[in-house]
Amino acid sequence: MRANRPRPAFGRGSRARRLCTRGLASAALLLGLLSCRNTEVPVYTTQFNAFGGAVDLSIVGIQRDRAATAAEALERDFEFFDRALFRDESDRMVRINEGLAAGERFAAPPSLIPLIARTQDLSAQSGGLFDPTIGRLTHLWGVDVVQPAAHRPPDDTAIRQLLETEPSMADIDLDGIELHSRNPAVQLDFDSIASAYAMDVAIDSLRRQGVRSAMINAGGDVRVIGNRSGRPWRVPVPRASGTGVLGILDVRGNVSLYTASAQRRNFVYQGEVYHAVIDPRTGYPATAAASATVLYEGDALTAAGAAHALMIAGPEQWPSIAERMGIDYALVTDRDGNLHLSPAMDRTLNLLDANTERSIHPLSKEQTRPSDPRR
């Protein structure tokens, strides 16, 4: 992966190093030596709630008051997208879906236009495995809420009837700000990727405020820029079971990590787990894999869309989908707990148990990068 090498953070650390290298009078030299003892670049950390869980933020290399101001703006961004995209029965999404179902042409909310356009591209690249237009299916399954209640799964007839309507991101026309659907069955559901989009918007906002190094962790999904005081960010990769950490990734630059999992938005009925990663081809929750994790140099939205597509594709088909979506770093855990990794992910992931058995799946045309996220 290409790593963005940010300029050294300004602050006490860089000033101390300058003092340490100059010939100074005794008083100034004493001040310099005292400063040398504390060369750590300041790190501001905070936590708030959004998207049904905790969001952790670390900002490196700027004064505390500026970091606090940036963090407050970031929290407002998250609150906005939480209400606009993620909340049960979001008024904004209800109005959009009503307009799409009626075949109307209407102005899309400006804040969501990039999301709609980008998810169209991701859906096409995934061969339709990632498809946010299947909102009627997620509602039918009852997994369009933050905490689904246990209930009887829908019957085959209801699922088949929805499949026959064939909703697709290709049915949506986005002309400037004007939105229209050629298929009344289209119902957008961005719940699975809302936090990823919020992280991307937030990172752009931090950059405009002069932040060059930061990490956002939203429920285990991560977006980073820069580095942590000259060291890489240490990012945990969750186990497919949802309990504990499988391994650690040391990354820096402009990097995103996202995991799609059967442990999110699920319910149990008669001992069977039903989750929100719905296979658009079958109308049922994906069964071939328990989770998929994608490390991507760039936006979290791409990592999120790819993770969902790879989980649906499963252990046999995911390498071809990864290639189509330009993903080099991928990990798929099958239903039996076996690990399937791309060569790049195998080289990068530091497993906590080094003896863990794993299968490496070479990509027929592995993407070449000038560098990788560890550097």
Side-chain angles (χ1 to χ4, degrees), residues 44-333:
Y44 177 89
T45 61
T46 187
Q47 184 184 84
F48 56 90
N49 291 321
F51 302 108
V55 178
D56 293 292
L57 169 66
S58 298
I59 298 176
V60 179
I62 65 174
Q63 298 293 337
R64 181 179 179 82
D65 56 345
R66 287 183 56 207
T69 299
E72 290 172 1
L74 182 146
E75 184 172 353
R76 289 194 295 270
D77 286 338
F78 268 72
E79 289 175 350
F80 171 81
F81 287 112
D82 193 349
R83 294 191 303 270
L85 296 176
F86 188 80
R87 293 289 186 189
D88 306 343
E89 297 299 315
S90 159
D91 290 340
R92 189 180 298 258
M93 291 306 302
V94 168
R95 291 195 299 271
I96 289 174
N97 283 323
E98 287 176 348
L100 294 174
E104 299 174 354
R105 294 185 179 275
F106 58 96
S111 59
L112 302 188
I113 290 175
L115 171 64
I116 295 170
R118 186 69 187 117
T119 51
Q120 280 189 307
D121 293 339
L122 292 171
S123 181
Q125 293 167 10
S126 73
L129 294 187
F130 168 67
D131 192 341
T133 65
I134 60 171
R136 294 181 189 274
L137 273 171
T138 57
H139 181 70
L140 181 66
W141 279 96
V143 290
D144 58 340
V145 295
V146 176
Q147 295 180 326
H151 60 275
R152 182 185 296 275
D155 60 48
D156 293 343
T157 300
I159 294 171
R160 185 170 59 254
Q161 288 174 345
L162 284 181
L163 285 180
E164 289 173 353
T165 64
E166 298 182 333
S168 166
M169 287 300 290
D171 293 324
I172 293 179
D173 293 324
L174 182 60
D175 184 8
I177 65 169
E178 191 175 76
L179 194 62
H180 169 255
S181 173
R182 296 185 294 273
N183 185 344
V186 163
Q187 187 173 77
L188 291 170
D189 182 350
F190 293 124
D191 283 355
S192 63
I193 57 171
S195 62
Y197 185 57
M199 286 196 286
D200 291 336
V201 173
I203 285 294
D204 288 342
S205 176
L206 289 178
R207 283 171 165 158
R208 288 194 297 271
Q209 296 175 75
V211 175
R212 294 294 174 263
S213 294
M215 178 172 74
I216 306 172
N217 186 324
D221 300 316
V222 176
R223 177 78 194 272
V224 308
I225 54 174
N227 58 73
R228 194 184 191 285
S229 304
R231 300 186 299 273
W233 297 102
R234 294 182 62 79
V235 178
V237 175
R239 295 184 182 276
S241 63
T243 59
V245 174
L246 177 68
I248 300 294
L249 291 163
D250 291 334
V251 300
R252 67 174 74 205
N254 182 23
V255 179
S256 299
L257 180 86
Y258 199 94
T259 297
S261 171
Q263 298 303 315
R264 296 183 175 181
R265 286 206 175 197
N266 63 23
F267 65 91
V268 179
Y269 182 78
Q270 295 185 347
E272 192 73 25
V273 177
Y274 300 93
H275 56 82
V277 185
I278 306 294
D279 187 337
R281 302 168 299 183
T282 67
Y284 285 82
T287 59
S291 73
T293 296
V294 167
L295 177 68
Y296 181 69
E297 183 194 17
D299 62 291
L301 186 58
T302 294
H308 283 84
L310 299 191
M311 181 174 167
I312 293 169
E316 300 299 326
Q317 299 178 357
W318 74 262
S320 62
I321 301 300
E323 289 183 35
R324 291 179 57 167
M325 301 188 76
I327 302 300
D328 296 333
Y329 297 77
L331 161 68
V332 174
T333 304

